[in-house]
Amino acid sequence: MQKSKKSASDRIIIELNGTSYTWTGQDWVESKTFIRPPEIIIRELNRELSGTLADTDNNVKDVDEILQRASNARDLNQYDRAEQLARRALHLSPDNPGALAVLCSVLRARGRAREALRETDPYRHLSYPPLLTSRAAALCDIGEWTKAKKMIGQVLAMGGNDEAFSVMRRIKRERPELYD
C-alpha cells in the first residue's frame, strides 16, 4: 500500500510496503536510515511522486520555475508530467527555446522522435545549443545521420557540452564514414 503526505519541512514522504521514503527535492532516501533505495523502488516512488507533484505544479506561474520542474521531471523519467509542464511553459511563453528543448528531449525519451522534430522544426534555426543538441539526437533516432552530424557540428562550433559530444560520439560509432 502506498500513501503520500507532506511533512512540515515540505519534504514529501511516501510509504511503500511498510517502509517510509523521503523525497529530498532531488533524490529518494529511506526515511530512517537516509540510504538511497534500489532503482526498482525508486521507479515506483517516482510514479507516486509524479501524481503528488502534479497538484503543486498547477499553482506555479513563473515560466522559469515551470521549466525547472519540467527538467527535473524529465530527469526522473516522469515523462507525462515533464511534457505537460513543457507545454504549459510554451503556452505561457511561446517560442521559449528552453521549453522547446525540454519538450524535444521528453518526446524523444518517449520514443516519439519524429514528433519531437516536427514540433520543433519551426525553431531549427535558433542558436540555442540544448535545442539543437536534442534535435540532432532525434535525427539520430530516426537514422538521419548526415543531418544530425551537420546540426551537432553547429552546436560544437558554439562550444558544445557533454551532451553534444555524446551525440557526436553516437554518430561516429554508428556512421564512422561520415567523419573520414
Side-chain angles (χ1 to χ4, degrees):
M1 178 163 165
Q2 303 169 19
K3 174 168 74 169
S4 302
K5 63 180 181 179
K6 270 202 166 195
S7 70
S9 65
D10 278 345
R11 291 181 182 242
I12 296 172
I13 299 170
I14 295 178
E15 185 175 329
L16 181 65
N17 300 326
T19 304
S20 291
Y21 299 93
T22 301
W23 172 247
T24 67
Q26 296 184 327
D27 206 2
W28 287 103
V29 294
E30 190 176 324
S31 298
K32 289 182 182 178
T33 64
F34 300 101
I35 295 174
R36 189 174 194 274
E39 284 301 316
I40 193 163
I41 299 289
I42 289 174
R43 282 193 295 275
E44 183 64 31
L45 291 167
N46 283 340
R47 277 193 290 278
E48 180 72 17
L49 177 68
S50 182
T52 302
L53 292 177
D55 297 336
T56 61
D57 289 344
N58 294 329
N59 296 325
V60 177
K61 305 295 183 230
D62 179 68
V63 172
D64 290 334
E65 186 174 344
I66 293 169
L67 281 176
Q68 184 61 52
R69 285 172 177 252
S71 292
N72 289 344
R74 178 201 54 212
D75 295 345
L76 292 169
N77 301 327
Q78 298 170 351
Y79 299 129
D80 286 338
R81 179 174 170 246
E83 183 177 347
Q84 289 172 357
L85 286 163
R87 290 187 186 283
R88 188 161 154 237
L90 285 168
H91 178 75
L92 295 171
S93 178
D95 307 336
N96 183 303
L100 290 162
V102 171
L103 179 62
C104 186
S105 67
V106 168
L107 292 173
R108 280 192 58 244
R110 299 180 86 184
R112 295 161 43 196
R114 290 186 190 283
E115 183 180 347
L117 289 166
R118 197 170 38 254
E119 292 212 29
T120 60
D121 195 58
Y123 311 97
R124 69 186 177 280
H125 299 297
L126 291 178
S127 295
Y128 187 66
L131 176 59
L132 295 175
T133 300
S134 191
R135 284 184 50 80
L139 288 166
C140 291
D141 293 346
I142 64 169
E144 293 283 346
W145 301 104
T146 303
K147 290 179 183 177
K149 179 184 183 253
K150 181 179 179 183
M151 189 166 290
I152 208 62
Q154 293 172 314
V155 175
L156 294 172
M158 289 184 247
N161 61 18
D162 288 343
E163 286 183 53
F165 283 106
S166 177
V167 172
M168 181 194 69
R169 285 190 298 274
R170 179 180 177 193
I171 297 166
K172 280 185 172 183
R173 183 177 60 249
E174 295 296 323
R175 294 290 303 274
E177 73 278 4
L178 292 176
Y179 287 91
D180 286 344

